Amino acid sequence: MTVRLTPEQLAARKRRNLALGLSLAGFMALVFIATFLRLQHNLQQSAAAPAPAPVAEAPAQP
């Protein structure tokens, strides 16, 4: 048994698929931009931070 879709149903399916694809691409772009901006912020923070003080080594225990 094969279901035949009407031209209106095929057009509606195509519009839904296009909307879903554009939504997915938009979400991917949003995640990429957020990640990129966080990386930039972290790089600026680490460049502005003072160098850590040297840590003295503990004496060896016998």
Side-chain angles (χ1 to χ4, degrees):
M1 178 170 162
T2 303
V3 176
R4 300 273 182 193
L5 298 178
T6 65
E8 294 83 18
Q9 289 172 325
L10 289 172
R13 178 189 285 180
K14 187 173 184 177
R15 284 191 305 271
R16 280 192 307 269
N17 286 342
L18 182 62
L20 185 60
L22 289 175
S23 299
L24 181 60
F27 178 72
M28 290 171 49
L30 180 68
V31 169
F32 175 78
I33 291 169
T35 302
F36 181 77
L37 291 176
R38 284 187 63 110
L39 279 172
Q40 291 294 86
H41 179 72
N42 288 342
L43 286 174
Q44 290 173 358
Q45 290 290 345
S46 65
V55 178
E57 292 186 23
Q61 294 189 359

Coordinates of all heavy atoms in Angstrom, one line a residue:
M1 N 0.8 -1.2 0.0 CA 0.0 0.0 0.0 C 0.9 1.2 0.0 O 1.7 1.4 0.9 CB -0.9 0.0 1.2 CG -1.8 1.2 1.4 SD -2.9 0.8 2.7 CE -3.4 2.5 3.0
T2 N 0.8 2.0 -1.0 CA 1.6 3.3 -1.2 C 0.7 4.5 -1.0 O -0.4 4.6 -1.6 CB 2.2 3.3 -2.6 OG1 3.0 2.1 -2.7 CG2 3.1 4.5 -2.7
V3 N 1.2 5.4 -0.2 CA 0.4 6.6 0.0 C 0.9 7.7 -1.0 O 2.1 7.9 -1.1 CB 0.6 7.2 1.5 CG1 -0.1 8.5 1.7 CG2 0.2 6.1 2.5
R4 N 0.0 8.2 -1.7 CA 0.3 9.3 -2.7 C -0.1 10.6 -2.1 O -1.2 10.8 -1.6 CB -0.5 9.1 -4.0 CG -0.3 7.8 -4.6 CD 0.9 7.9 -5.6 NE 1.0 6.6 -6.3 CZ 2.1 6.3 -6.9 NH1 3.0 7.2 -7.0 NH2 2.2 5.1 -7.5
L5 N 0.9 11.5 -2.0 CA 0.6 12.8 -1.5 C 0.2 13.8 -2.6 O 0.6 13.7 -3.7 CB 1.9 13.4 -0.8 CG 2.5 12.6 0.4 CD1 3.7 13.2 0.9 CD2 1.5 12.5 1.5
T6 N -0.7 14.7 -2.2 CA -1.1 15.7 -3.1 C 0.0 16.7 -3.4 O 0.9 16.9 -2.5 CB -2.4 16.4 -2.6 OG1 -2.1 17.1 -1.4 CG2 -3.5 15.4 -2.3
P7 N -0.1 17.5 -4.4 CA 0.9 18.5 -4.7 C 0.9 19.6 -3.5 O 2.0 20.0 -3.2 CB 0.4 19.2 -5.9 CG -0.3 18.1 -6.7 CD -1.0 17.3 -5.6
E8 N -0.2 19.8 -2.9 CA -0.2 20.7 -1.7 C 0.5 20.2 -0.6 O 1.3 20.9 0.2 CB -1.7 21.1 -1.3 CG -2.5 21.8 -2.3 CD -3.1 20.9 -3.4 OE1 -3.2 19.7 -3.2 OE2 -3.4 21.5 -4.5
Q9 N 0.4 18.9 -0.3 CA 1.1 18.2 0.8 C 2.6 18.2 0.5 O 3.4 18.3 1.4 CB 0.5 16.8 1.0 CG -0.9 16.8 1.6 CD -1.5 15.4 1.6 OE1 -1.2 14.6 0.7 NE2 -2.3 15.1 2.6
L10 N 2.9 17.9 -0.7 CA 4.4 17.9 -1.1 C 5.0 19.3 -0.9 O 6.1 19.4 -0.4 CB 4.6 17.4 -2.5 CG 4.3 15.9 -2.7 CD1 4.4 15.6 -4.2 CD2 5.3 15.1 -2.0
A11 N 4.2 20.3 -1.3 CA 4.7 21.7 -1.1 C 4.9 22.0 0.4 O 5.9 22.7 0.8 CB 3.8 22.7 -1.8
A12 N 3.9 21.6 1.2 CA 4.0 21.8 2.6 C 5.2 21.1 3.3 O 5.9 21.7 4.1 CB 2.7 21.4 3.3
R13 N 5.4 19.9 2.8 CA 6.5 19.1 3.3 C 7.8 19.8 3.0 O 8.8 19.9 3.8 CB 6.5 17.7 2.7 CG 7.7 16.9 3.2 CD 7.9 15.6 2.4 NE 6.9 14.6 2.9 CZ 6.7 13.4 2.4 NH1 7.5 13.0 1.4 NH2 5.8 12.6 2.9
K14 N 7.9 20.3 1.8 CA 9.1 21.0 1.3 C 9.4 22.3 2.2 O 10.5 22.6 2.6 CB 9.0 21.4 -0.1 CG 10.3 22.0 -0.7 CD 10.2 22.1 -2.2 CE 11.5 22.6 -2.8 NZ 11.5 22.7 -4.2
R15 N 8.3 23.0 2.5 CA 8.4 24.2 3.3 C 8.9 23.9 4.7 O 9.7 24.6 5.3 CB 7.1 25.0 3.3 CG 6.8 25.8 2.1 CD 5.6 26.7 2.3 NE 4.4 26.1 2.7 CZ 3.5 25.5 2.0 NH1 3.6 25.6 0.7 NH2 2.4 25.0 2.5
R16 N 8.3 22.8 5.3 CA 8.7 22.4 6.6 C 10.2 22.0 6.6 O 10.9 22.3 7.6 CB 7.8 21.2 7.1 CG 6.5 21.6 7.6 CD 5.8 20.5 8.3 NE 5.7 19.3 7.6 CZ 4.7 18.9 6.8 NH1 3.7 19.7 6.6 NH2 4.7 17.8 6.1
N17 N 10.6 21.2 5.6 CA 12.0 20.8 5.6 C 12.9 22.0 5.5 O 14.0 22.0 6.1 CB 12.2 19.8 4.4 CG 11.6 18.4 4.7 OD1 11.3 18.1 5.9 ND2 11.4 17.7 3.7
L18 N 12.5 23.0 4.7 CA 13.4 24.2 4.5 C 13.4 24.9 5.8 O 14.5 25.4 6.2 CB 12.8 25.0 3.4 CG 13.5 26.3 3.1 CD1 15.0 26.0 2.6 CD2 12.8 27.1 2.0
A19 N 12.3 25.1 6.5 CA 12.3 25.8 7.8 C 13.1 25.1 8.8 O 13.9 25.7 9.6 CB 10.9 25.9 8.3
L20 N 13.0 23.7 8.8 CA 13.8 23.0 9.8 C 15.3 23.1 9.5 O 16.2 23.3 10.4 CB 13.4 21.5 9.7 CG 14.0 20.6 10.7 CD1 13.8 21.0 12.1 CD2 13.5 19.1 10.5
G21 N 15.7 23.0 8.2 CA 17.1 23.2 7.8 C 17.6 24.5 8.1 O 18.8 24.6 8.7
L22 N 16.9 25.6 7.9 CA 17.3 26.9 8.2 C 17.4 27.1 9.7 O 18.4 27.8 10.2 CB 16.4 28.0 7.6 CG 16.4 28.1 6.1 CD1 15.3 29.1 5.6 CD2 17.8 28.5 5.6
S23 N 16.5 26.5 10.5 CA 16.6 26.6 11.9 C 17.8 25.9 12.5 O 18.5 26.4 13.4 CB 15.3 26.0 12.6 OG 14.2 26.7 12.2
L24 N 18.1 24.8 11.9 CA 19.3 24.0 12.3 C 20.6 24.8 12.0 O 21.5 24.9 12.8 CB 19.3 22.6 11.7 CG 20.5 21.7 12.0 CD1 20.6 21.5 13.5 CD2 20.4 20.4 11.3
A25 N 20.6 25.4 10.8 CA 21.8 26.2 10.4 C 22.0 27.4 11.3 O 23.1 27.8 11.7 CB 21.7 26.6 9.0
G26 N 20.8 28.0 11.7 CA 20.9 29.2 12.5 C 21.4 28.8 13.9 O 22.2 29.5 14.5
F27 N 20.9 27.7 14.4 CA 21.4 27.2 15.8 C 22.9 26.9 15.7 O 23.6 27.3 16.7 CB 20.6 26.0 16.2 CG 21.1 25.4 17.5 CD1 20.8 26.1 18.7 CD2 21.8 24.2 17.6 CE1 21.2 25.6 19.9 CE2 22.2 23.7 18.8 CZ 21.9 24.4 19.9
M28 N 23.3 26.3 14.7 CA 24.8 26.0 14.5 C 25.6 27.3 14.5 O 26.7 27.3 15.1 CB 25.0 25.1 13.3 CG 24.5 23.7 13.4 SD 24.5 22.7 11.9 CE 26.2 23.0 11.3
A29 N 25.1 28.3 13.8 CA 25.8 29.5 13.7 C 25.9 30.2 15.1 O 26.9 30.8 15.5 CB 25.1 30.4 12.7
L30 N 24.7 30.1 15.8 CA 24.7 30.7 17.1 C 25.7 30.1 18.1 O 26.4 30.8 18.8 CB 23.3 30.6 17.7 CG 23.1 31.2 19.1 CD1 23.2 32.7 19.1 CD2 21.7 30.7 19.6
V31 N 25.8 28.8 18.1 CA 26.7 28.0 18.9 C 28.2 28.4 18.5 O 29.0 28.6 19.4 CB 26.5 26.5 18.8 CG1 27.6 25.7 19.5 CG2 25.1 26.2 19.5
F32 N 28.4 28.4 17.2 CA 29.8 28.8 16.7 C 30.2 30.2 17.2 O 31.3 30.4 17.7 CB 29.8 28.7 15.2 CG 31.1 29.1 14.6 CD1 32.2 28.3 14.7 CD2 31.3 30.4 14.1 CE1 33.5 28.7 14.2 CE2 32.5 30.8 13.6 CZ 33.6 30.0 13.6
I33 N 29.3 31.1 17.0 CA 29.6 32.5 17.4 C 29.8 32.6 18.9 O 30.7 33.3 19.4 CB 28.5 33.5 16.9 CG1 28.5 33.6 15.4 CG2 28.6 34.9 17.5 CD1 27.4 34.2 14.8
A34 N 29.0 32.0 19.7 CA 29.1 32.0 21.2 C 30.4 31.4 21.6 O 31.1 32.0 22.5 CB 27.9 31.3 21.8
T35 N 30.8 30.3 21.0 CA 32.1 29.7 21.3 C 33.2 30.5 20.9 O 34.2 30.7 21.7 CB 32.2 28.3 20.6 OG1 31.1 27.5 21.0 CG2 33.5 27.6 20.9
F36 N 33.2 31.1 19.8 CA 34.3 32.0 19.3 C 34.4 33.2 20.2 O 35.5 33.6 20.6 CB 34.0 32.5 17.9 CG 35.0 33.4 17.3 CD1 36.2 32.8 16.8 CD2 34.8 34.7 17.2 CE1 37.2 33.6 16.3 CE2 35.8 35.5 16.7 CZ 37.0 35.0 16.3
L37 N 33.3 33.8 20.6 CA 33.4 35.0 21.5 C 33.9 34.6 22.9 O 34.7 35.4 23.5 CB 32.0 35.7 21.6 CG 31.5 36.3 20.3 CD1 30.1 36.9 20.5 CD2 32.5 37.4 19.9
R38 N 33.5 33.5 23.4 CA 34.1 33.0 24.7 C 35.6 32.8 24.6 O 36.3 33.1 25.5 CB 33.3 31.8 25.2 CG 32.0 32.1 25.7 CD 31.4 30.8 26.3 NE 32.1 30.4 27.5 CZ 31.7 30.5 28.7 NH1 30.6 31.0 29.0 NH2 32.5 30.0 29.7
L39 N 36.0 32.2 23.5 CA 37.5 31.9 23.3 C 38.2 33.3 23.3 O 39.3 33.4 23.9 CB 37.7 31.2 22.1 CG 37.6 29.7 22.2 CD1 37.7 29.0 20.8 CD2 38.6 29.1 23.1
Q40 N 37.7 34.2 22.6 CA 38.3 35.5 22.5 C 38.4 36.2 23.9 O 39.4 36.7 24.2 CB 37.6 36.5 21.5 CG 37.7 36.1 20.1 CD 39.1 36.2 19.5 OE1 39.9 35.3 19.7 NE2 39.3 37.3 19.0
H41 N 37.3 36.1 24.6 CA 37.3 36.7 25.9 C 38.3 36.0 26.8 O 39.0 36.7 27.6 CB 35.9 36.6 26.5 CG 35.7 37.1 27.9 ND1 35.8 38.4 28.2 CD2 35.6 36.5 29.1 CE1 35.7 38.6 29.5 NE2 35.6 37.4 30.1
N42 N 38.4 34.7 26.8 CA 39.3 34.0 27.6 C 40.8 34.3 27.3 O 41.6 34.4 28.1 CB 39.1 32.5 27.5 CG 37.8 32.0 28.3 OD1 37.3 32.8 29.1 ND2 37.3 30.9 27.9
L43 N 41.0 34.5 26.0 CA 42.4 34.8 25.5 C 42.8 36.2 26.0 O 43.9 36.4 26.5 CB 42.5 34.7 24.0 CG 42.5 33.3 23.4 CD1 42.5 33.4 21.9 CD2 43.8 32.6 23.9
Q44 N 41.8 37.1 26.0 CA 42.1 38.5 26.5 C 42.3 38.5 28.0 O 43.2 39.2 28.5 CB 40.9 39.4 26.1 CG 40.8 39.7 24.7 CD 39.6 40.5 24.3 OE1 38.8 40.8 25.2 NE2 39.4 40.9 23.1
Q45 N 41.6 37.7 28.7 CA 41.7 37.6 30.2 C 43.1 37.0 30.5 O 43.7 37.4 31.5 CB 40.6 36.7 30.8 CG 39.2 37.4 30.7 CD 39.1 38.5 31.7 OE1 40.0 38.7 32.6 NE2 38.1 39.3 31.5
S46 N 43.5 35.9 29.8 CA 44.8 35.3 30.1 C 45.9 36.2 29.8 O 47.0 36.2 30.4 CB 44.9 33.9 29.5 OG 44.9 34.1 28.1
A47 N 45.8 37.0 28.7 CA 46.9 37.9 28.4 C 47.0 39.1 29.4 O 48.1 39.6 29.6 CB 46.6 38.5 27.0
A48 N 45.9 39.5 30.0 CA 45.9 40.6 30.9 C 46.3 40.1 32.3 O 46.6 41.0 33.2 CB 44.5 41.3 30.9
A49 N 46.2 38.9 32.6 CA 46.5 38.4 34.0 C 48.0 38.4 34.2 O 48.8 38.2 33.3 CB 46.0 36.9 34.1
P50 N 48.3 38.7 35.5 CA 49.8 38.7 35.8 C 50.3 37.3 35.8 O 49.6 36.3 36.0 CB 49.8 39.3 37.2 CG 48.5 39.1 37.8 CD 47.5 39.1 36.6
A51 N 51.6 37.2 35.6 CA 52.3 35.9 35.6 C 52.2 35.3 37.0 O 52.3 36.0 38.0 CB 53.7 36.0 35.2
P52 N 52.0 34.0 37.1 CA 51.9 33.4 38.4 C 53.2 33.4 39.1 O 54.3 33.3 38.5 CB 51.4 31.9 38.1 CG 51.8 31.7 36.7 CD 51.7 33.1 36.0
A53 N 53.2 33.5 40.4 CA 54.4 33.5 41.2 C 55.0 32.1 41.2 O 54.3 31.1 41.2 CB 54.1 34.0 42.6
P54 N 56.3 32.0 41.2 CA 56.9 30.7 41.3 C 56.6 30.0 42.6 O 56.5 30.6 43.6 CB 58.4 31.0 41.1 CG 58.6 32.4 41.4 CD 57.3 33.1 41.2
V55 N 56.4 28.7 42.5 CA 56.1 27.9 43.7 C 57.3 27.2 44.2 O 58.1 26.6 43.4 CB 55.0 26.9 43.3 CG1 54.7 26.0 44.5 CG2 53.8 27.5 42.8
A56 N 57.6 27.4 45.5 CA 58.8 26.8 46.1 C 58.5 25.3 46.2 O 57.4 24.9 46.6 CB 59.0 27.4 47.5
E57 N 59.5 24.5 45.9 CA 59.4 23.1 46.0 C 59.5 22.6 47.5 O 60.3 23.2 48.3 CB 60.4 22.4 45.2 CG 60.3 22.6 43.7 CD 61.3 21.7 42.9 OE1 61.8 20.7 43.4 OE2 61.6 22.2 41.8
A58 N 58.7 21.6 47.8 CA 58.7 21.1 49.2 C 60.0 20.2 49.3 O 60.4 19.6 48.4 CB 57.5 20.3 49.5
P59 N 60.6 20.2 50.5 CA 61.8 19.4 50.7 C 61.4 17.9 50.6 O 60.3 17.5 50.9 CB 62.3 19.7 52.1 CG 61.1 20.4 52.8 CD 60.2 20.9 51.7
A60 N 62.3 17.1 50.0 CA 62.1 15.7 49.9 C 62.0 15.0 51.2 O 62.8 15.3 52.1 CB 63.2 15.1 49.0
Q61 N 61.1 14.1 51.4 CA 61.0 13.4 52.6 C 61.8 12.1 52.6 O 61.7 11.4 51.6 CB 59.5 13.1 52.9 CG 58.7 14.3 53.1 CD 57.3 14.0 53.6 OE1 56.9 12.9 53.7 NE2 56.5 15.0 53.8
P62 N 62.5 11.9 53.6 CA 63.3 10.6 53.7 C 62.6 9.4 53.8 O 61.5 9.2 54.1 CB 64.2 10.8 54.9 CG 63.6 11.9 55.7 CD 62.6 12.7 54.8

